[in-house]
Amino acid sequence: MAKTAQGAMYRGSVHDFPDFDPNQDAEALYTAMKGFGSDKESILELITSRSNQQRQEISQSYKSLYGKDLIADLKYELTGKFERLIVNLMRPLAYCDAKEIKDAISGIGTDEKCLIEILASRTNEQMHQLVAAYKDAYERDLESDIIGDTSGHFQKMLVVLLQGTRENDDVVSEDLVQQDVQDLYEAGELKWGTDEAQFIYILGNRSKQHLRLVFDEYLKTTGKPIEASIRGELSGDFEKLMLAVVKCIRSTPEYFAERLFKAMKGLGTRDNTLIRIMVSRSELDMLDIREIFRTKYEKSLYSMIKNDTSGEYKKALLKLCGGDDDAAGQFFPEAAQVAYQMWELSAVARVELRGTVCAARDFNPDADAKALRKAMKGIGTDEATIIDIITHRSNAQRQQIRQTFKSHFGRDLMADLKSELSGDLARLILGLMMPPAHYDAKQLKKAMEGAGTDEKALIEILATRTNAEIRAINEAYKEDYHTSLEEALSSDTSGHFRRILISLATGNREEGGENRDQAREDAQVAAEILEIADTPSGDKTSLETRFMTVLCTRSYPHLRRVFQEFIKMTNYDIEHVIKKEMSGDVKDAFVAIVQSVKNKPLFFADKLYKSMKGAGTDEKTLTRVMVSRSEVDLFNVRREFIEKYDKSLHQTIESDTSGDFLKALLALCGGED
């Protein structure tokens, strides 16, 4: 079994088997593989119930009793993913890592993700054991092989990590923390170009405790998390490696929870990643990984494995997982602290919001108006010219083009575009041509027209716009439809949902900072209405009104503090509790508010991902988000998208749309991350 630090609690899911007898186990495995076919159930039950040290004793006994190599026999009898999992379990952990790295750098191409995962996450001792195991197994020097298969700063950082010389001091020098913060800032944000050597030296050698304080101070000093600076200053595999190192410094179990989720989400399963992590962490921190997975993704690791795999392979993985956290139906205190840290990060980060569309240089509305007229004149339409002009001008510039078009040709540009274009492209281009407030007003109007209401569109717009944007929408709605937005919402919605929307539609959210005393009171209200407070006070109707007031009118900085106080008070993350305790449109509205407060670009990244995942595409949502965020924060949305979904927004749009609609969306997207 993996050793734990003095006084530390064992957090693996696999334990030493009591009353262990290696000879008896060797005999049982021999019997399971003897004759025609093999008893896979017995093999998986036995091997997943023994610690790695015990499996090595079984291997030795098997060779002594039968003169045969157990791993060779297992390879002969088993096949596919199940064989890979069982064989990996039979290897000593260092040799298992060595085999994974050998496979990653053998043949054509390199599996950089595998190299990053192993070398960014292992301790000094594990790294030394890995180097020795590689030498023993392949009679080659691991460092030389990695140098031969990689290059640049990516190679240099891998070599630094491979030394296994990270400092282990528990005592941290405050002066050195401040010096490292300054050095990192000067090496990146303050420098023309980037001094990668400083990033490599500090992130590759300082102790985890020291670096956690460096990350905290870096955020306070610069207003940016270190991850944002890494994404802005570094690129490619080197960027991915450094981000993995930072994640492992912050929380190795959270890093692996994220890797496991990405291995199983979407179509297909990344079985090599799934096997590697389940084997390597089963005797180290699988319980911590499970807890964080359950809180972060609102489902248990057990249930996701169960739904994503099959056969003996599934049974063996579930045994390594060690239990189903959904069965208890509870959140975990340790994982709740991860949520607290996320709110803390959200509370102090000052992220620069950037759109992907900006004002064109040397703008000439006269030339643009003439080019658009030419593109629509005569037989056929030159969609490429229309897309190129409209997606590369700011909204203010588009309004100038409209006016110039009318002055020159006595025609309405919007009407001409509507006549010449059709389908999704027409909706996108016409949306871009409207002033933002009028576009949002139209989207709200369409959401309430005809049979049924598009509640998701109402929520998306009203829960995410600023006070100034909401007030502009109200004016535009009144101007365009000759009724107030409030009257329209009142006639088309009902109950608590209507009250929430009308409150948001007033545009009266407070805009000051946080009030800690008030935040504790507000957190208590939330705990009471969500029925997890120890001592409820006040009638439910009054509490519901107060809770709505908190979420719909308090400032974003104040709400971040409220949500932190809520976790301290209850050990629950408010978003997860709302999802669990509430239902319907009210739940969706409150969740959207919380997500917007936490990280608005991530909220829109999720909307975009959901609009394109699975069978079919929700073009309306895709268009609405791309139009409305293109000059606000679409660059940030792109960054959140690739961070969460491990693929770029550009790639996803490219694989999910087509034709001129695709070309226009990619132009708005602004680049490939």
Side-chain angles (χ1 to χ4, degrees), residues 454-465 489 493-505 509 530 547-548 550-553 556 559 563 574-575 578-579 582-598 603 607:
D454 184 352
E455 291 86 358
K456 285 184 169 58
L458 297 179
I459 291 168
E460 177 198 309
I461 295 170
L462 295 176
T464 61
R465 302 309 193 249
L489 291 169
T493 58
S494 61
H496 290 301
F497 183 54
R498 175 170 62 194
R499 293 174 60 202
I500 294 166
L501 294 181
I502 290 174
S503 178
L504 292 171
R509 186 177 292 284
L530 294 170
F547 184 58
M548 184 189 76
V550 169
L551 288 186
C552 295
T553 68
Y556 273 27
L559 282 175
F563 300 154
I574 194 163
E575 180 182 339
I578 289 171
K579 288 178 177 177
M582 294 185 164
S583 61
D585 298 327
V586 170
K587 177 193 77 173
D588 293 342
F590 283 151
V591 166
I593 293 169
V594 172
Q595 291 176 341
S596 184
V597 170
K598 183 186 292 185
F603 171 81
K607 294 288 287 185

Side-chain angles (χ1 to χ4, degrees), residues 167-349:
E167 298 161 359
N168 285 317
D169 298 342
D170 288 331
V171 179
V172 176
S173 163
E174 291 184 13
D175 290 341
L176 187 56
V177 167
Q178 293 296 336
Q179 184 61 53
D180 282 349
V181 169
Q182 190 62 32
D183 288 346
L184 287 171
Y185 192 40
E186 290 177 357
E189 299 286 342
L190 295 182
K191 187 178 178 67
W192 181 260
T194 306
D195 183 358
E196 289 87 354
Q198 279 286 24
F199 279 86
I200 291 171
Y201 176 73
I202 293 171
L203 295 183
N205 289 282
R206 299 289 192 237
S207 72
K208 284 192 169 187
Q209 185 61 30
H210 175 91
L211 285 174
R212 286 177 190 133
L213 292 176
V214 168
F215 299 159
D216 290 345
E217 287 302 314
Y218 189 91
L219 180 62
K220 292 176 186 174
T221 300
T222 69
K224 283 186 175 182
I226 188 69
E227 292 90 339
S229 291
I230 288 172
R231 290 191 193 100
E233 298 297 327
L234 311 180
S235 62
D237 292 323
F238 182 46
E239 174 195 343
K240 292 172 186 173
L241 173 59
M242 299 304 262
L243 288 172
V245 169
V246 170
K247 285 177 183 176
C248 289
I249 295 296
R250 290 193 187 278
S251 170
T252 303
E254 186 174 2
Y255 170 71
F256 282 112
E258 183 179 308
R259 291 280 294 160
L260 285 168
F261 179 74
K262 288 180 177 178
M264 292 183 281
K265 73 178 177 66
L267 295 174
T269 303
R270 298 174 190 177
D271 293 291
N272 288 352
T273 300
L274 179 57
I275 291 168
R276 185 170 59 243
I277 296 173
M278 295 302 291
V279 169
S280 66
R281 313 313 293 185
S282 60
E283 294 183 46
L284 295 175
D285 52 9
M286 185 58 70
L287 298 185
D288 295 321
I289 292 169
R290 276 170 42 187
E291 290 177 354
I292 292 169
F293 194 101
R294 173 66 178 82
T295 296
K296 193 168 184 177
Y297 302 112
E298 302 170 60
K299 63 180 81 176
S300 69
L301 175 59
Y302 188 99
S303 67
M304 197 161 183
I305 291 171
K306 190 174 181 180
N307 292 331
D308 214 63
T309 58
S310 61
E312 283 86 8
Y313 176 54
K314 173 174 77 173
K315 292 176 184 175
L317 288 171
L318 293 178
K319 286 276 291 180
L320 293 178
C321 183
D324 187 358
D325 304 315
D326 278 342
Q330 296 178 349
F331 297 98
F332 297 93
E334 295 91 339
Q337 295 314 308
V338 173
Y340 181 88
Q341 290 161 12
M342 288 170 66
W343 282 115
E344 184 70 36
L345 190 65
S346 175
V348 296

Side-chain angles (χ1 to χ4, degrees), residues 53 75 134 247 479 532:
Q53 179 58 47
K75 282 183 175 180
Y134 193 91
K247 285 177 183 176
E479 178 185 337
I532 54 174

Side-chain angles (χ1 to χ4, degrees), residues 23 187 229 336 356 660:
N23 288 336
S229 291
T356 53
D660 292 320

